[in-house]
């Protein structure tokens, strides 16, 4: 096995405790793997070469733990981090699993649930910061409905805004060095979830009191479930300066939430994603929010985790190959050719420019006859991916 695909700390590969710790329960089947402790999972991640480990509050500390139990768990976890060198780049709150949240957390119709969700999140932020997290993910898994009879969607948005504003102020008040990353998902577990895509989140962020503290955590599977182009969501987030974190996995379009190994389903999408992240110089964690097939034991879980990172690194190498391929570069040059003849119409509006442009003549038929050679360009991409070039 070539060691150029060996993960290194500078690659910033991270996994949630809930990813390699997933016990393989599904709506039709019981767990297939025994539950490992957070400490065991840290060692497992260190063994496969990960750099970071993320967690929901209750992945680490059970929801009903006493303060003394919490302290013991946190100190054991810290010891495992010290011994392995793993870091905690991100933390989050579980506002989805407990029955208290079945009707929503920050958007629940019950003000007691909304207050409890805030309390739980503040405590989880304290826990994340204590362990070094700099990014705080908020995923509203239960912030939605099965029937719109249940809730006014405008009211729900106002509740969400109030909650995020409250949490930003809390972080400022505590003097924490922490930014929020909102994670969109269109459905599952709720029938419909509010702010269903990364685009929705980006628009919502601009309405907050502290938009500079809040970005997004787009997930491959979530955009694919909605039938969308993930790369385009990532590009928009990046261009807006909002790509604070990323959840890498894979997913067939229009299916249930599959959380497959990164690159295992739609290799071409994964390739253009890795190429984008590397080309623009994204410096955040590469977090894999996925889990092993239900068929696997823990050897399979390790293969799954190694596979996520290895595929990323192979695609990174393919992206370099794509960028330095002379035929591809020649095609790109041709595609983007600009003889300067339109320069006078470019840039900001002026009345003179508009008047001149209205008078200009264009050979529309010739424009329509141009062939773009995208078939060749795409086939060259495929041949790089298939390893024959
Ligand atoms: C679920 C989400 C979840 C978040 C963190 O689909 O991906 O795992 O990433 O709560
Ligand atoms: Mg997900
Ligand atoms: Mg996720």
């Amino acid at each position: 096995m070539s060691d150029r695909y060996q993960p290194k700390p500078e690659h910033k590969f991270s996994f949630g405790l809930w990813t390699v710790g997933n016990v393989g329960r599904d709506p039709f089947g019981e767990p297939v793997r025994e539950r490992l402790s957070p400490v065991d999972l840290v060692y497992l991640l260190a063994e496969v070469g990960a750099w970071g480990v993320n967690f929901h509050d209750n992945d680490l500390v059970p929801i009903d733990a006493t303060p003394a139990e919490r302290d013991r768990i946190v100190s054991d976890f810290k010891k495992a981090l010290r011994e392995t060198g793993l870091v905690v780049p991100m933390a989050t709150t579980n506002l989805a699993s407990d029955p208290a949240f079945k009707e929503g957390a920050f958007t629940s119709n019950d003000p007691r649930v909304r207050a409890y969700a805030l309390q739980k999140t503040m405590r989880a932020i304290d826990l994340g910061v204590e362990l070094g997290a700099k990014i705080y993910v908020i995923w509203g898994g239960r912030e939605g409905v099965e029937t719109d009879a249940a809730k006014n969607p405008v009211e729900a948005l106002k509740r969400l805004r109030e909650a995020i504003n409250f949490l930003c102020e809390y972080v400022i008040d505590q003097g924490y060095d922490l930014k929020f990353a909102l994670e969109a998902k269109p459905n599952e577990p709720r029938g419909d979830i509010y702010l269903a895509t990364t685009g929705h989140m980006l628009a919502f962020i601009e309405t907050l009191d502290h938009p500079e503290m809040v970005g997004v955590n787009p997930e491959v599977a979530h955009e694919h479930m909605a039938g969308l182009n993930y790369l385009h969501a990532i590009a928009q987030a990046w261009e807006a300066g909002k790509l604070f974190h990323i959840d890498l996995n894979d997913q067939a379009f229009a299916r249930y939430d599959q959380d497959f190994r990164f690159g295992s389903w739609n290799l071409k999408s994964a390739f253009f994603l890795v190429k984008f992240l590397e080309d623009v110089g994204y410096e955040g964690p590469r977090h894999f929010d996925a889990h092993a097939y239900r068929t696997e034991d823990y050897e399979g879980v390790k293969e799954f985790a190694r596979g996520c990172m290895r595929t990323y690194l192979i695609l990174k190498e393919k992206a370099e190959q794509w960028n330095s391929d002379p035929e591809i570069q020649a095609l790109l040059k041709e595609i983007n050719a600009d003889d300067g003849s339109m320069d006078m119409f470019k840039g900001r509006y002026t009345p003179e420019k508009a008047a001149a442009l209205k008078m200009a003549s264009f050979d529309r038929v010739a424009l329509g006859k141009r062939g773009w050679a995208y078939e060749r360009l795409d086939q060259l991409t495929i041949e790089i991916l298939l390893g024959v070039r």
Side-chain angles (χ1 to χ4, degrees), residues 18 56 92 137 139 183 185 217 219 222 247 257 289:
W18 70 95
H56 299 82
T92 184
V137 164
W139 170 62
E183 181 175 342
K185 190 177 185 185
N217 177 39
E219 175 170 317
H222 299 178
D247 274 3
D257 188 11
D289 188 5

Side-chain angles (χ1 to χ4, degrees), residues 70-352:
R70 177 205 191 268
D71 291 349
R72 185 186 46 74
I73 291 167
V74 171
S75 109
D76 290 351
F77 192 67
K78 279 184 177 162
K79 182 160 167 271
L81 294 175
R82 273 198 308 277
E83 283 174 1
T84 56
L86 258 79
V87 296
V88 174
M90 174 271 262
T92 184
T93 326
N94 186 332
L95 295 173
S97 300
D98 197 84
F101 300 120
K102 65 188 175 192
E103 203 283 303
F106 300 138
T107 62
S108 169
N109 281 331
D110 186 337
R112 289 169 303 180
V113 174
R114 299 206 295 276
Y116 173 55
L118 272 181
Q119 181 203 63
K120 191 172 193 288
T121 305
M122 286 190 291
R123 290 180 177 174
I125 287 175
D126 296 344
L127 178 66
V129 169
E130 181 179 347
L131 287 154
K134 296 270 186 289
I135 300 155
Y136 203 82
V137 164
I138 295 185
W139 170 62
R142 299 284 173 194
E143 314 294 13
V145 289
E146 283 68 45
T147 165
D148 285 316
K151 220 176 280 190
N152 176 337
V154 168
E155 202 47 47
L157 278 178
K158 289 187 195 303
R159 288 173 184 167
L160 263 176
R161 182 179 302 116
E162 194 175 286
I164 310 287
N165 285 340
F166 188 99
L167 294 169
C168 284
E169 292 291 345
Y170 176 71
V171 163
I172 294 170
D173 215 16
Q174 301 301 308
Y176 290 156
D177 174 19
L178 191 72
K179 288 207 256 181
F180 291 97
L182 307 185
E183 181 175 342
K185 190 177 185 185
N187 59 273
E188 212 175 333
R190 295 311 291 269
D192 285 293
I193 299 178
Y194 300 121
L195 300 172
T197 70
T198 298
H200 290 78
M201 285 298 182
L202 288 169
F204 174 72
I205 288 168
E206 295 310 313
T207 72
L208 297 172
D209 289 347
H210 292 283
E212 73 288 352
M213 291 176 68
V214 187
V216 289
N217 177 39
E219 175 170 317
V220 178
H222 299 178
E223 304 291 321
H224 284 189
M225 286 168 76
L228 299 175
N229 183 314
Y230 181 68
L231 173 64
H232 295 185
I234 286 294
Q236 191 181 352
W238 173 260
E239 205 263 342
K242 293 294 185 195
L243 190 61
F244 290 3
H245 199 260
I246 192 168
D247 274 3
L248 302 171
N249 56 13
D250 214 346
Q251 166 83 33
F253 279 56
R255 297 281 171 92
Y256 66 96
D257 188 11
Q258 294 176 309
D259 284 340
F260 284 155
R261 189 177 76 255
F262 180 61
S264 63
W265 188 265
N266 196 333
L267 207 46
K268 194 160 93 174
S269 298
F271 166 72
F272 281 114
L273 171 67
V274 171
K275 181 171 141 43
F276 180 87
L277 294 174
E278 298 301 321
D279 285 353
V280 299
Y282 167 76
E283 282 182 344
R286 273 80 172 156
H287 174 233
F288 297 103
D289 188 5
H291 51 78
Y293 302 145
R294 196 164 175 271
T295 48
E296 303 307 291
D297 59 12
Y298 277 102
E299 281 315 305
V301 171
K302 289 181 203 167
E303 276 309 306
F304 146 81
R306 288 192 187 102
C308 286
M309 298 184 281
R310 196 171 154 79
T311 297
Y312 188 100
L313 293 174
I314 295 169
L315 292 175
K316 183 177 167 191
E317 188 181 84
K318 299 278 180 194
E320 284 158 17
Q321 191 190 344
W322 199 95
N323 287 340
S324 59
D325 185 294
E327 193 178 345
I328 290 179
Q329 288 314 308
L331 280 171
L332 289 178
K333 209 168 154 212
E334 206 177 301
I335 288 160
N336 294 294
D338 185 344
D339 64 4
S341 60
M342 294 292 118
D343 285 359
M344 60 185 134
F345 302 131
K346 288 183 189 160
R348 285 188 70 85
Y349 174 88
T350 65
E352 298 72 37

